Amino acid sequence: MRRMVSTLTAYAGSATTGLAAGGRSLPALLVLIFVLRGALAIAVVPPWQHPDEPQHLALAHVLARQTRLDLSNRRDLDVEHRILRSMAAHGWWQHYGEIEPDPIPASFDGVPEHISTTVTAPPVYYLLASAVLALSGIEDLVAQSYALRWMALALAAPTLLCLWAGTHRLFGPWVAGGATVLTALHPQFVLMSTAVNPAALVNLCGAVFWWQAARLLTGAPAAATLALLTGATLVGVFTKRAGAPLVLMLATVTIIAWAHGRIGPWRANWRTVVGTAGGLVVTGLLAAVWLWPEVDRLADSWSYALRFSWADRARDWGFFRRFTTGLLDSAWLVAGWLRYPAPSVWLALMRLLVVVAVGGCLVGLRRPAMAVWRTGFILAGALVAIQVAGVYGGIYMNGYGPQGHYLFPAIGPFMALVWVGIHAWWPRQSWAYVSIGVVAFFAVFDAVGWGSVILPVFLE
Amino acid sequence: MRTVRKQEPPSVAPARHARAPGRWTGAALVAAMIATLATETYLIVVDRTVSGARVPKTDQSFLVNGLGQGVRISQTFLMRAGGLDEVRLSAVAQDEAGAGNLAVALYEVWKDRDGAERLLFRDRVTAGALTRYPTFRFAVPRVDDTADRSFRIDIWMPEPRPEVGISLWATDGRSSEDGSLFINGQSAYAELVFETRATRATVWARLRNRFGGAGLTLLLLLSVGAHAALFVGLRAIAAGGHAFTEPRE
């Protein structure tokens, strides 16, 4: 017994020393923080309170019950009615400040102002979610929604690791630690990472893309990296419209790698050859079975974004201002279905922080001390610019309202730029203090988000 | 003797600081964690009672008499917050305040439905209780969904006693949003001095209500773990701030 105690004590001591050293365990620590916050969000936020959860669960539920996969059969009115009843039971309309419909509509068609169906939505997330539901054997709708929330968190944890890895590759461990801790403390990101929503998967695609793009520019084997970049792009495109900018990013990254990067060797070993060939065969078979109809659906899903016409609303300067502030604010914290914003003072501070960071990036590009990060600046700036342009081109130009989480596929490069941009204003000797100040600021913002918004509104 | 400080190249400087932050960095680190914990504690335990509609006592204020003569005094108001549970009035006794009872009632009113109304709560208070303190607190059972809804509070003596001199303070003009004073149902260009309140349970109470004892203990343990991880992580990052870490080659 004494021996066991002394062994445990020694183990605890060495673990503490290892953690305190901070080195390799830092990403694991940051993922731990993120996962704990995610678990709290899952426990606190009532069912159906994340954006579009009802329709996403409905489709996953329908697919999970199919004995033979049929992606064209996407609706079950009975399931929709049950979900609407569950929404009423969990006070959804009360949270929205509206009178509950009486009687409860028979399907989602009865609440067109809030719920759109997912008949043309890209399929990958729903296939994954339906597989999880089918394997788990859960039948109850609310229990299914919680299972998918945990699945989202399981997808978000590696998102953080990819974010770390990509930033580490381009900017080194200090910026990687900073960008990852800011993401781990980001209240809206944790909410979207625990939602029944394809957002978690498309964010993972974006993070994998960031990591592989960083590898491509810093001498990693080119063939494997490009294959992974293409894979992340394809999965992202077939997951959510917010993944569409990845196509443009793929082309841009290739150009940047050619112009600024150090492209690695093209040689491939037999494992790569076998893996690639196997992947191509599987992809080809899948494509033959259901990909082509899905491409048609994808075209429908993207149709509004590809019109490239200006809605009347988009010509209004006031709408531009509202859209931009709404996009920024909801990227930081507006809980529920854009219902519960963070205190306005904090949202104003976060807007200011973005402006300071953008200015800092421009300053940093000219600082000799940051010259070594120039490739990182260019890549991160290009990816963020493409994602932002995608949101304005697809959403703003059509006159629709903004949702900040559309920016999250580029959260890796964005947070790296925020971290570097804020520090660029300061002399290097002050960076340790600036780091502490920035992280403390985010921690307090997160605390305000939870303490004055998320917990009070969702815990009655 | 003059000391010559040698300029260190960036790649050499970090080695000295990379493992542990300096004394001042450590102090900044501790200050940051204290600030974070203090904010969190404040947000969790602070009383979140919010003030709703309100009309203050000003130099335009005057006393509304006549309760003892059977006058019914009413005040309408629009509530912007949810959870109305208290209306505060300002009453004064002019002579025999201790005698007699008054009725106080809270109604929800719908102006867009021809003034339809619904009685939410009614109580009796003694004239002494109404005037004992400068502010009378009329507590009602919490009404959850009060945000953006209109209400009316009525006060009158069911058995009028003209000798009872009780008056309510009112203020000239319109001060609250969509509110008005009524005397025996007749609108006046004034409003009672009043304030509505909605008491919020603290976040701590809500967490305890949701998770219970064991769940709350587990939550606290996980929270301690998360904060420890944040502290250690921030310490590592701050140490890296001294070290100008370059990208991987």
Side-chain angles (χ1 to χ4, degrees):
Chain A
M1 181 69 181
R2 188 179 294 171
R3 194 174 166 187
M4 194 172 82
V5 170
S6 64
T7 309
L8 282 174
T9 311
Y11 177 76
S14 66
T16 310
T17 311
L19 287 176
R24 288 179 190 169
S25 49
L26 183 58
L29 281 176
L30 301 181
V31 169
L32 174 70
I33 295 168
F34 177 75
V35 168
L36 289 175
R37 293 170 68 251
L40 181 62
I42 290 172
V44 164
V45 179
W48 321 116
Q49 280 300 326
H50 289 306
D52 304 326
E53 280 192 315
Q55 56 265 48
H56 296 312
L57 180 75
L59 179 50
H61 182 95
V62 167
L63 295 181
R65 289 204 314 191
Q66 290 178 352
T67 48
R68 188 179 172 195
L69 185 63
D70 177 9
L71 281 166
S72 61
N73 178 14
R74 293 188 167 209
R75 291 191 69 181
D76 181 334
L77 300 189
D78 178 53
V79 170
E80 292 181 7
H81 181 63
R82 281 167 53 206
I83 288 177
L84 288 167
R85 283 207 325 252
S86 177
M87 287 166 68
H90 287 92
W92 189 89
W93 278 272
Q94 194 179 337
H95 277 289
Y96 222 79
E98 292 184 359
I99 296 169
E100 195 175 289
D102 184 20
I104 299 296
S107 72
F108 290 162
D109 297 335
V111 275
E113 66 277 22
H114 295 306
I115 301 180
S116 56
T117 55
T118 46
V119 287
T120 61
V124 174
Y125 170 78
Y126 303 103
L127 291 172
L128 184 63
S130 64
V132 167
L133 294 184
L135 286 172
S136 67
I138 302 168
E139 289 293 328
D140 178 65
L141 285 169
V142 171
Q144 285 186 335
S145 83
Y146 278 105
L148 294 188
R149 284 182 172 189
W150 282 107
M151 184 190 92
L153 188 57
L155 292 170
T159 302
L160 239 65
L161 291 174
C162 292
L163 188 160
W164 159 277
T167 313
H168 188 285
R169 192 95 191 180
L170 285 165
F171 293 95
W174 175 65
V175 181
T180 313
V181 74
L182 297 193
T183 311
L185 294 173
H186 190 314
Q188 190 72 41
F189 185 71
V190 77
L191 288 180
M192 286 314 298
S193 298
T194 53
V196 183
N197 194 303
L201 182 57
V202 84
N203 294 344
L204 176 59
C205 293
V208 170
F209 190 98
W210 166 239
W211 173 33
Q212 293 305 315
R215 293 186 75 229
L216 183 67
L217 266 68
T218 51
T225 311
L226 274 172
L228 281 167
L229 277 169
T230 311
T233 304
L234 274 174
V235 175
V237 164
F238 278 97
T239 297
K240 193 173 169 71
R241 275 187 290 241
L246 288 169
V247 177
L248 198 53
M249 287 181 194
L250 184 61
T252 310
V253 163
T254 315
I255 294 167
I256 294 175
W258 189 265
H260 293 277
R262 292 178 295 103
I263 296 179
W266 289 89
R267 288 193 309 275
N269 58 28
W270 65 270
R271 284 195 192 88
T272 313
V273 172
V274 170
T276 309
L280 282 173
V281 168
V282 171
T283 308
L285 285 172
L286 284 173
V289 175
W290 54 262
L291 191 63
W292 287 116
E294 287 311 305
V295 171
D296 276 349
R297 269 194 210 98
L298 199 66
D300 280 349
S301 174
W302 285 10
S303 58
Y304 80 83
L306 297 174
R307 281 201 297 264
F308 298 113
S309 59
W310 284 65
D312 288 343
R313 211 175 162 201
R315 297 169 201 270
D316 176 25
W317 171 245
F319 178 66
F320 177 79
R321 281 177 49 206
R322 285 197 305 279
F323 185 94
T324 303
T325 52
L327 184 70
L328 269 178
D329 293 350
S330 58
W332 291 113
L333 179 58
V334 182
W337 294 37
L338 299 179
R339 178 80 177 128
Y340 300 113
S344 55
V345 173
W346 278 95
L347 290 177
L349 286 172
M350 297 316 281
R351 286 180 215 160
L352 183 66
L353 180 130
V354 171
V355 172
V356 169
V358 170
C361 288
L362 299 176
V363 171
L365 271 171
R366 300 166 64 90
R367 277 183 72 167
M370 289 184 162
V372 72
W373 291 340
R374 194 155 289 156
T375 306
F377 272 121
I378 292 168
L379 177 65
L383 298 188
V384 171
I386 290 170
Q387 192 68 29
V388 171
V391 170
Y392 276 84
I395 312 288
Y396 171 78
M397 281 178 65
N398 286 286
Y400 298 130
Q403 289 192 42
H405 71 84
Y406 295 151
L407 300 173
F408 288 168
I411 196 164
F414 175 76
M415 283 303 190
L417 290 178
V418 165
W419 184 260
V420 176
I422 292 171
H423 286 80
W425 292 100
W426 301 85
R428 224 181 61 205
Q429 293 81 358
S430 312
W431 282 3
Y433 306 109
V434 178
S435 302
I436 293 168
V438 171
V439 175
F441 177 80
F442 267 72
V444 171
F445 171 63
D446 183 49
V448 169
W450 283 92
S452 71
V453 182
I454 301 169
L455 294 175
V457 300
F458 290 134
L459 286 180
E460 284 299 329
Chain B
M1 190 173 136
R2 193 173 151 208
T3 309
V4 178
R5 294 182 68 185
K6 190 178 173 186
Q7 190 86 25
E8 290 178 333
S11 56
V12 177
R16 199 173 55 211
H17 305 287
R19 291 194 182 278
R23 191 166 48 148
W24 289 109
T25 315
L29 196 59
V30 171
M33 287 310 293
I34 289 173
T36 306
L37 286 170
T39 308
E40 288 172 353
T41 309
Y42 171 78
L43 289 166
I44 288 170
V45 301
V46 70
D47 179 2
R48 294 178 179 280
T49 298
V50 292
S51 182
R54 180 172 177 267
V55 173
K57 195 190 289 181
T58 68
D59 55 3
Q60 299 295 309
S61 297
F62 60 94
L63 287 168
V64 182
N65 303 314
L67 281 171
Q69 285 78 30
V71 170
R72 189 177 183 120
I73 301 173
S74 312
Q75 169 71 39
T76 57
F77 57 90
L78 177 68
M79 191 71 186
R80 285 295 184 195
L84 170 67
D85 62 0
E86 187 179 304
V87 183
R88 296 182 169 200
L89 299 166
S90 190
V92 289
Q94 287 163 344
D95 37 44
E96 284 187 59
N101 289 315
L102 292 106
V104 189
L106 179 70
Y107 297 84
E108 180 174 6
V109 294
W110 291 275
K111 290 185 177 174
D112 54 346
R113 292 190 214 163
D114 292 333
E117 63 185 36
R118 176 172 65 117
L119 176 65
L120 294 175
F121 184 68
R122 178 175 164 166
D123 201 3
R124 278 192 172 225
V125 293
T126 64
L130 186 71
T131 57
R132 186 169 299 137
Y133 300 106
T135 301
F136 169 68
R137 297 167 58 184
F138 177 50
V140 300
R142 178 184 157 92
V143 188
D144 283 331
D145 201 10
T146 53
D148 302 327
R149 295 189 175 184
S150 293
F151 299 87
R152 191 184 78 233
I153 185 165
D154 286 9
I155 183 162
W156 73 99
M157 257 188 146
E159 295 158 10
R161 298 177 62 172
E163 73 276 14
V164 175
I166 292 181
S167 309
L168 290 170
W169 279 104
T171 299
D172 258 340
R174 295 276 181 260
S175 305
S176 76
E177 186 181 3
D178 208 23
S180 179
L181 168 68
F182 290 84
I183 296 173
N184 282 339
Q186 297 296 310
S187 175
Y189 188 65
E191 291 191 67
L192 283 184
V193 171
F194 78 104
E195 181 181 355
T196 57
R197 294 213 164 197
T199 307
R200 299 276 192 276
T202 62
V203 170
W204 175 255
R206 288 161 190 250
L207 286 169
R208 197 173 50 198
N209 185 42
R210 168 65 67 91
F211 296 112
L216 195 58
T217 307
L218 179 64
L219 184 68
L220 282 175
L221 286 173
L222 293 176
S223 171
V224 168
H227 283 82
L230 179 62
F231 183 80
V232 174
L234 182 53
R235 186 176 182 276
I237 292 167
H242 282 297
F244 186 83
T245 44
E246 295 181 2
R248 182 169 162 180
E249 292 299 325

